[in-house]
């Protein structure tokens, strides 16, 4: 391939370095366009004249992938919400009540209201994304709502983790291992959620 075309493809990959898989797909698409143009012309072409500036070309395609990627993030957020809710139910079923432990009120507050806030933020983000993808107005930012939902869910998970740990320490039984296992699953889901958000927030065109 022409050196100018190679430099152009490198610039495209650099512009989309936040999502290597997308960078490879867009670079491959640009390479196909350039190959077709070279075949039609019978020689090398200027990629800037053919496709435009590499940053603009890359971001133009990435902008179309932003909403579906945010939708994927919201699905992962929903999965994590279900895990946190399941852990809460299992903690009530298998661990002793801790209402007498007054010092645990911050953990109880974070556990309950963090989950409520995360659910509300995720629902609003989903509605906002749905309206935006259909060209309808929406004052709230789905991307920011998704961040709020993830942060609130992390707070809820931390509060729930404290309650689970204290409950197991108070009454260690084999049944207590069930909420412990779902708490561990929460942690894994939240790690995936954080990694996905780091990519989603850098997509152009998302508000």
């Amino acid at each position: 391939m022409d050196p100018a075309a190679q430099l152009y493809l490198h610039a495209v990959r650099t512009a989309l370095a936040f999502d290597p898989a997308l960078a490879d797909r867009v670079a491959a698409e640009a390479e196909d366009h350039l190959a077709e143009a070279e075949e039609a012309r019978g020689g090398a072409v200027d990629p800037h004249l053919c496709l435009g500036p590499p940053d603009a070309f890359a971001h133009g395609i990435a902008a179309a992938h932003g909403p579906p990627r945010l939708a994927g993030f919201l699905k992962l957020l929903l999965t994590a919400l279900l895990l946190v809710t399941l852990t809460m139910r299992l903690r009530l079923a298998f661990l002793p009540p801790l209402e007498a432990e007054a010092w645990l009120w911050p953990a109880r507050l974070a556990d309950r209201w963090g989950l409520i806030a995360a659910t509300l933020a995720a629902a609003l983000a989903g509605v906002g994304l749905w309206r935006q993808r259909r060209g309808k107005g929406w004052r709230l930012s789905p991307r920011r709502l998704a961040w709020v939902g993830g942060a609130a869910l992390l707070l809820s998970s931390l509060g729930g983790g404290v309650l689970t740990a204290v409950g197991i320490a108070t009454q260690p039984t084999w049944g207590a291992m069930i909420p412990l296992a779902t708490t561990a699953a929460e942690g894994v889901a939240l790690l995936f959620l954080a990694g996905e958000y780091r990519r989603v927030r850098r997509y152009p065109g998302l508000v």
Side-chain angles (χ1 to χ4, degrees):
M1 179 175 287
D2 184 81
Q6 292 180 354
L7 288 174
Y8 186 91
L9 296 178
H10 176 72
V12 168
R13 286 192 173 91
T14 301
L16 299 174
F18 59 88
D19 190 337
L22 178 63
D24 289 340
R25 289 199 301 271
V26 174
E29 186 174 338
E31 186 175 2
D32 290 342
H33 281 305
L34 293 174
E36 291 172 2
E38 288 179 358
E39 184 178 354
R41 184 175 178 178
V45 297
D46 185 343
H48 292 80
L49 294 177
C50 184
L51 299 176
D55 287 350
F57 174 79
H59 290 166
I61 295 180
H65 289 76
R69 195 68 190 246
L70 181 57
F73 174 83
L74 290 176
K75 290 177 183 177
L76 185 57
L77 179 60
L78 177 60
T79 302
L81 273 168
L82 292 174
L83 280 171
V84 172
T85 304
L86 176 63
T87 302
M88 186 182 293
R89 297 299 181 186
L90 292 173
R91 192 164 56 244
L92 292 173
F94 291 98
L95 295 178
L98 300 172
E99 284 77 7
E101 305 292 338
W103 62 276
L104 286 174
W105 71 265
R108 284 193 289 268
L109 186 68
D111 179 45
R112 180 174 302 174
W113 290 102
L115 182 62
I116 292 173
T119 303
L120 181 60
L124 289 174
V127 171
L129 183 62
W130 177 82
R131 289 181 64 87
Q132 285 187 357
R133 292 175 74 173
R134 282 155 181 77
K136 300 180 180 180
W138 183 253
R139 293 184 178 181
L140 301 177
S141 165
R143 181 177 61 82
R144 290 173 183 164
L145 284 169
W147 181 88
V148 170
L153 189 62
L154 175 61
L155 184 65
S156 176
S157 182
L158 289 173
V162 170
L163 294 176
T164 299
V166 173
I168 293 174
T170 302
Q171 185 178 312
T173 62
W174 285 110
M177 296 301 103
I178 299 176
L180 180 62
T182 56
T183 299
E186 281 178 30
V188 173
L190 288 169
L191 286 175
F192 276 106
L193 199 65
E196 183 66 12
Y197 184 77
R198 280 197 296 268
R199 285 185 289 271
V200 166
R201 69 183 179 86
R202 298 183 63 181
Y203 269 76
L206 285 176
V207 296

